[in-house]
């Protein structure tokens, strides 16, 4: 049914924006072929996997592709190619990662590789929109942080599985707070420093928030101690406040968030146009292809949710948010049913990354939080985002299948 809706959406849109029907149906056909291939592979390699995750990913990918086609048809062609690449990545994941428990033997190698990928753009990356997040190799740009987040999930899952008992036992009392041996708090300090360096050197609030939030979520699930979440949140807020007073780019992001109307045609232009678009959508939207979302700079990446809210209205935006919530809940259910601690923590980490990324970008476009530079999973234009989120889907399917094994 999801794929039928995609075909109908492309057909109706081609009538509105006067694009060749054959081109739109060709793109819809590529997406359909990709989803059917994943479905067949899913039934063959992991038949016991969660049956809801793939349809949700197909819905989000299909709607995202339709909106990108409406905004910039040329980019929709490129996005469909990346979806094919994501399909290949899922097939390879099914073959190579079915015994995912062996990954934990390489946890420190994964951490080192993740750090290299995370900070490589500082030295050899290219700057876009004020943030230095991309690498350009052979004419192909990609965000290495997308791959780094999955590597960090596996590292943290392996590390916390090994150290969870030591982290859960308090032996020292510092300023009234019971804590374990200080040497076991090393990862907390390291993750705090990594998040801070991302914020300062790469000028990316979204990725900084994503990585530290991921760590706190996995640490809490592993130990069951809310003091870690409280302490970590305090450290992040305190360091972010210090960055606000020390660095102008952080101050600009926060000032625009608090009051974009102080410079509506300059620094606040993006968020102001986004708010106008969302407000003009009303309950049911102005109609697919009938709005003016292209007035928002970078609408196909950072503000695709605003485009949906304008043309499909509150109901369309709510449907997207509901799909994201269902995906997150199914990911957490996968964690609950996992039969091994490593798989449980990995599923929590993958679901947390997905949740934090979705919240960061939707919250930024609606002015709930400061704007971030992350993409909306499965929907925004971006090759590395599509590729890594398809791998994330494959990993959740594999872990859910293991949890359902009898």
């Amino acid at each position: 049914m999801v794929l039928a809706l995609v075909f109908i959406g492309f057909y109706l849109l081609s009538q509105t924006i006067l694009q060749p029907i054959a081109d739109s149906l060709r793109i819809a056909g590529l997406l359909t072929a990709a989803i059917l291939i994943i479905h067949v592979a899913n039934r063959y390699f992991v038949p016991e996997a969660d049956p809801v995750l793939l349809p949700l990913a197909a819905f989000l990918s299909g709607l995202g592709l339709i909106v990108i086609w409406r905004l910039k048809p040329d980019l929709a062609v490129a996005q469909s190619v990346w979806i094919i690449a994501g399909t290949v990545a899922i097939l390879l994941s099914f073959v190579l990662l079915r015994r995912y428990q062996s990954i934990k033997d390489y946890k420190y190698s994964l951490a080192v590789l993740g750090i290299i990928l995370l900070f490589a753009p500082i030295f050899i990356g290219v700057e876009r929109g004020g943030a230095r997040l991309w690498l350009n190799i052979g004419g192909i740009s990609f965000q290495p942080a997308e791959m780094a987040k999955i590597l960090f999930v596996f590292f943290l899952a392996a590390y916390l599985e090994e150290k969870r008992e030591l982290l859960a036992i308090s032996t020292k009392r510092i300023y009234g707070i019971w804590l374990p041996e200080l040497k076991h708090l090393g990862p907390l300090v390291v993750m705090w420093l990594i998040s801070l360096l991302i914020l300062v050197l790469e000028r990316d609030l979204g990725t900084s928030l994503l990585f530290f939030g991921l760590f706190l979520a996995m640490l809490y699930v592993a130990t069951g101690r809310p003091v870690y979440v409280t302490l970590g949140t305090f450290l992040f807020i305190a360091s972010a406040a210090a960055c606000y007073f020390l660095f102008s780019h952080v101050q600009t992001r926060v000032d625009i968030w608090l009051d974009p109307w102080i410079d509506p045609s300059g620094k606040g232009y993006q968020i102001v146009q986004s708010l106008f678009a969302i407000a003009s959508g009303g309950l049911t939207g102005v109609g697919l292809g009938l709005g003016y979302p292209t007035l928002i700079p970078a609408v196909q990446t950072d503000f695709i949710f605003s485009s949906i809210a304008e043309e499909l209205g509150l109901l369309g935006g709510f449907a997207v948010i509901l799909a994201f919530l269902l995906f997150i809940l199914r990911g957490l259910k996968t964690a609950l049913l996992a039969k091994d601690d490593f798989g449980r923590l990995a599923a929590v980490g993958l679901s947390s990354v997905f949740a934090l990324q979705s919240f960061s970008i939707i919250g930024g476009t609606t002015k709930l939080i400061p704007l971030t530079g992350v993409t909306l999973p499965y929907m925004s234009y971006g090759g590395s985002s599509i590729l890594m989120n398809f791998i994330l889907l494959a990993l959740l399917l594999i872990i859910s299948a293991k949890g359902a094994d009898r």
Side-chain angles (χ1 to χ4, degrees):
M1 187 176 75
V2 171
L3 297 176
L5 289 174
V6 170
F7 269 99
I8 294 172
F10 268 106
Y11 175 78
L12 295 176
L13 183 59
S14 63
Q15 303 294 307
T16 306
I17 62 175
L18 303 178
Q19 289 289 333
I21 295 176
D23 289 350
S24 63
L25 295 182
R26 192 175 299 119
I27 293 175
L30 281 175
L31 176 69
T32 301
I35 298 301
L36 289 177
I37 290 171
I38 295 172
H39 174 69
V40 172
N42 185 16
R43 298 301 302 165
Y44 180 78
F45 289 107
V46 284
E48 303 292 336
D50 188 304
V52 181
L53 287 170
L54 179 56
L56 287 172
F59 167 74
L60 293 170
S61 301
L63 181 57
L65 198 57
I66 289 172
V67 176
I68 293 171
W69 167 259
R70 177 261 178 275
L71 297 170
K72 296 188 177 182
D74 291 344
L75 294 184
V77 177
Q79 183 83 342
S80 61
V81 172
W82 280 111
I83 288 175
I84 296 296
T87 303
V88 175
I90 284 184
L91 299 181
L92 290 174
S93 300
F94 282 159
V95 174
L96 300 175
L97 300 178
R98 274 192 295 172
R99 294 177 178 82
Y100 60 85
Q101 291 91 344
S102 61
I103 296 175
K104 60 186 178 184
D105 296 335
Y106 307 96
K107 57 180 178 294
Y108 293 112
S109 300
L110 296 177
V112 171
L113 180 58
I115 291 173
I116 291 173
L117 286 171
L118 203 53
F119 292 107
I122 296 173
F123 305 101
I124 57 174
V126 294
E127 185 171 322
R128 293 179 185 173
R132 185 177 285 273
L133 304 173
W134 284 267
L135 293 179
N136 194 335
I137 299 177
I140 298 176
S141 297
F142 68 98
Q143 279 186 284
E146 292 286 344
M147 181 182 291
K149 68 186 183 187
I150 292 181
L151 297 179
F152 271 103
V153 165
F154 280 122
F155 162 70
L156 289 172
Y159 182 86
L160 292 172
E161 183 199 26
E162 184 180 315
K163 304 286 186 181
R164 60 188 305 174
E165 293 183 0
L166 293 173
L167 289 166
I169 298 173
S170 299
T171 57
K172 290 180 179 296
R173 186 174 183 178
I174 302 176
Y175 295 111
I177 302 173
W178 284 98
L179 295 172
E181 292 289 335
L182 293 180
K183 63 181 180 182
H184 300 312
L185 291 177
L188 177 63
V189 177
V190 170
M191 288 302 294
W192 171 64
L193 288 174
I194 288 175
S195 302
L196 200 60
L197 287 173
I198 295 170
L199 181 63
V200 173
L201 300 179
E202 298 189 358
R203 303 182 175 189
D204 184 24
L205 176 64
T207 305
S208 174
L209 180 67
L210 183 68
F211 277 87
F212 201 63
L214 163 68
F215 176 69
L216 289 183
M218 294 183 70
L219 186 61
Y220 176 70
V221 171
T223 64
R225 297 196 61 189
V227 65
Y228 288 126
V229 179
T230 306
L231 183 61
T233 304
F234 172 77
L235 281 174
F236 187 82
I237 292 175
S239 57
C243 289
Y244 173 81
F245 292 105
L246 292 174
F247 302 101
S248 60
H249 63 274
V250 178
Q251 199 170 59
T252 301
R253 282 289 179 104
V254 176
D255 289 344
I256 291 173
W257 169 54
L258 293 174
D259 186 8
W261 304 101
I262 56 177
D263 189 10
S265 58
K267 294 175 181 175
Y269 183 77
Q270 255 187 328
I271 186 63
V272 166
Q273 291 300 322
S274 171
L275 295 175
F276 276 138
I278 294 171
S280 63
L283 180 63
T284 57
V286 298
L288 196 57
L290 300 177
Y292 299 95
T294 51
L295 292 176
I296 310 172
V299 63
Q300 72 278 5
T301 53
D302 296 357
F303 286 86
I304 196 165
F305 182 79
S306 305
S307 172
I308 292 170
E310 179 182 5
E311 300 198 336
L312 300 180
L314 178 64
L315 295 178
F318 180 74
V320 170
I321 292 174
L322 184 61
F324 278 112
L325 288 175
L326 285 174
F327 193 98
I328 294 163
L329 287 175
R330 301 303 294 199
L332 293 177
K333 183 182 178 184
T334 296
L336 286 172
L337 297 177
K339 293 181 177 177
D340 62 294
D341 288 340
F342 178 68
R344 182 176 299 111
L345 287 168
V348 167
L350 295 170
S351 304
S352 299
V353 162
F354 188 85
L356 287 166
Q357 190 162 341
S358 306
F359 170 74
S360 297
I361 192 64
I362 293 177
T365 57
T366 54
K367 200 176 161 300
L368 182 64
I369 60 173
L371 279 174
T372 60
V374 298
T375 55
L376 192 59
Y378 298 114
M379 302 194 75
S380 293
Y381 172 73
S384 46
S385 174
I386 284 289
L387 199 59
M388 289 302 121
N389 279 301
F390 270 50
I391 292 176
L392 182 150
L393 171 65
L395 292 169
L396 284 177
L397 290 171
I398 292 169
I399 296 172
S400 68
K402 290 289 183 184
D405 280 348
R406 296 177 174 80

